[in-house]
Amino acid sequence: MRYQVIHTTEYDYRESVGQSYNEARLLPRVTANQQCHRTQLQISPSPTDYHEREDFFGNRVAYFSIRESHKRFIVTATSEVQIAPQEAQLNFSLGADWESARLTLGQQRDPQTLDALQYTLDSPFIAATAELAAYAQASFPRGRSLLEAVNDLMGRIHTDFTYDPDFTTLATPLATVLKHRRGVCQDFAHLAIGCLRAHGLAARYVSGYIETFPPPGEEKLVGSDASHAWFSVYVPELGWIDFDPTNNQIPVDQHIVLGWGRDYGDITPLKGVIFGGGEHELAVSVDVRNLGE
């Protein structure tokens, strides 16, 4: 499936910004089943300097600075990606049981396993607590296959937690999400990752987009889509497998990957430092267009 994604971020400042230094992770990465045919960043005001690089996790990063006074700052990322469908129905008996997978992470020293090992550790947004381990325990009886256990955990999060965009912010602790059982896709991805790490397993945060559909009989509004987040679990001998707890589905060909890391902090879409500006208003719009096969 081929998609066009237009992601626009606009800041309006009360006072003038003298200069700013920015990093954008808005350029889709190339994966085994995703190709990026065209991508472009439009920045206003025009940047004084601009260059692209790959970060530690292999994500595409654009660095740019603006050194002229401005009260409005707009970044628009336009990309075209091609996604080759993955297996819609996983055989959950494939791969090791979850206890053997945990043992493999601690013993094997091949490059892929060593890379996965870093995703078993705590990260700034995710600490593997006893409370997370307790919540996950029902999905991890002894001898259960890792894929089956993670699929069960995904379904439980989808059922037990309410999607509520007004309940959390970036600063909301994961313990609060677990206690009140409310949040958004970012929270549910962090929750699942914390549950898996609490059992000694490797899980990473994936940032991107998903194709959405309007209610029956209504036209889809331009810019009404949003960024999305899900997670991947490392399965020895199979590699990384994605799960989307917000929608209780395994991504097939509607999830567009921007990048991945230990948690949201590693793949923040846009961040930087400004001098001046004062209070500001932020507006974000995302449009995911299905261009067909």
Side-chain angles (χ1 to χ4, degrees), residues 150-167:
V150 177
N151 189 63
D152 184 76
L153 176 65
M154 173 179 70
R156 289 176 54 222
I157 291 173
H158 179 76
T159 300
D160 294 347
F161 289 75
T162 300
Y163 186 89
D164 185 350
D166 298 319
F167 181 73

Side-chain angles (χ1 to χ4, degrees), residues 163-184:
Y163 186 89
D164 185 350
D166 298 319
F167 181 73
T168 58
T169 69
L170 289 176
T172 303
L174 200 47
T176 302
V177 176
L178 182 61
K179 177 181 178 180
H180 295 277
R181 305 211 169 185
R182 311 183 79 82
V184 294

Side-chain angles (χ1 to χ4, degrees), residues 68-106:
E68 65 176 85
S69 179
H70 58 279
K71 286 190 173 183
R72 176 172 292 176
F73 169 50
I74 304 173
V75 178
T76 299
T78 303
S79 306
E80 273 190 24
V81 298
Q82 182 83 35
I83 301 177
Q86 301 182 78
E87 185 65 42
Q89 296 294 326
L90 274 179
N91 181 349
F92 294 120
S93 65
L94 290 175
D97 63 80
W98 70 269
E99 293 152 308
S100 296
R102 179 174 63 186
L103 194 63
T104 296
L105 284 165

